[in-house]
Amino acid sequence: VKPTWEEYSPSEGDLIIELDPGMAFGTGTHETTSMCIQELEKYVSKDSTVFDIGCGSGILAIAAAKLGAREVVAVDLDEVAVTVSKENVDKNEVNDSVRVLHGNLTEVVEGKADIVVANIIADIIEILAKDVANFMKDDAVFISSGIILAKVDEVKECLIENGFDVITVNRQGEWAAIVCKKNN
């Protein structure tokens, strides 16, 4: 991940994301962002449909597209985030696979995804846990982060109560990412 004004010579296998976050969250340096990208690297395939909920700067949607996802839908309630995400999608030339929408997941997104990623905060993940399964294919994964360590157990319990099986919990610094699947 690099700002557009920086020069960088990629090594073999590097995927470059050019990102100017502007006033939206997401520069790629935060632990939660890097954990989400690491999980996307594990799960994205060329046939994947990915929903990025609370897309901020668009970094996770762009990463999913560059990792080969067929379709990516990025959504945010914040109009500034939507504008910045669209600009970053343009800069990274992934317009053919990424759509950025303004609004709430349950109101503006149709269909089901193979991967849903949400790098937001624990309280919102708990709210999202009630509805997100309706937007997931049967074998889909839900990658959630933005969870402070003190809230990990609470978020895990909420996910389990809402029909998810926790696959992994990753921790970096004071933050965690939880990957789970619907229990069918």
Side-chain angles (χ1 to χ4, degrees):
V1 178
K2 73 171 201 63
T4 54
W5 60 87
E6 291 284 331
E7 290 296 321
Y8 176 76
S9 298
S11 300
E12 186 176 331
D14 281 356
L15 295 177
I16 307 301
I17 298 174
E18 293 206 0
L19 192 75
D20 295 331
M23 295 180 64
F25 178 81
T27 61
T29 59
H30 199 272
E31 291 96 337
T32 60
T33 307
S34 64
M35 285 188 287
C36 287
I37 291 173
Q38 289 166 7
E39 294 301 333
L40 287 170
E41 287 175 338
K42 291 177 192 173
Y43 292 103
V44 170
S45 70
K46 66 179 177 62
D47 295 324
S48 297
T49 297
V50 179
F51 294 166
D52 177 6
I53 311 306
C55 61
S57 66
I59 186 169
L60 298 178
I62 294 164
K66 288 193 173 239
L67 288 166
R70 179 178 42 84
E71 178 186 12
V72 183
V73 179
V75 61
D76 206 298
L77 292 169
D78 181 352
E79 289 185 43
V80 171
V82 170
T83 300
V84 170
S85 290
K86 286 179 178 178
E87 290 169 358
N88 285 323
V89 165
D90 286 343
K91 284 178 192 147
N92 285 276
E93 300 176 355
V94 291
N95 311 62
D96 55 335
S97 57
V98 179
R99 284 185 303 134
V100 182
L101 305 173
H102 177 252
N104 184 310
L105 165 71
T106 59
E107 296 168 2
V108 298
V109 176
E110 294 181 2
K112 295 185 183 237
D114 300 291
I115 302 161
V116 176
V117 61
N119 184 15
I120 39 184
I121 61 171
D123 294 344
I124 303 300
I125 292 165
E126 290 179 21
I127 293 167
L128 190 58
K130 295 172 178 68
D131 295 314
V132 72
N134 298 326
F135 295 87
M136 296 171 63
K137 295 178 183 175
D138 287 341
D139 59 346
V141 293
F142 177 34
I143 302 165
S144 59
S145 194
I147 306 162
I148 58 171
L149 294 181
K151 294 260 190 175
V152 170
D153 291 336
E154 180 182 317
V155 174
K156 277 175 48 180
E157 286 175 30
C158 180
L159 289 164
I160 291 166
E161 287 170 11
N162 283 283
F164 289 95
D165 292 324
V166 174
I167 300 170
T168 58
V169 178
N170 299 314
R171 293 171 176 83
Q172 275 188 21
E174 297 298 313
W175 300 93
I178 299 174
V179 180
C180 57
K181 283 189 171 198
K182 295 192 309 184
N183 57 22
N184 296 320

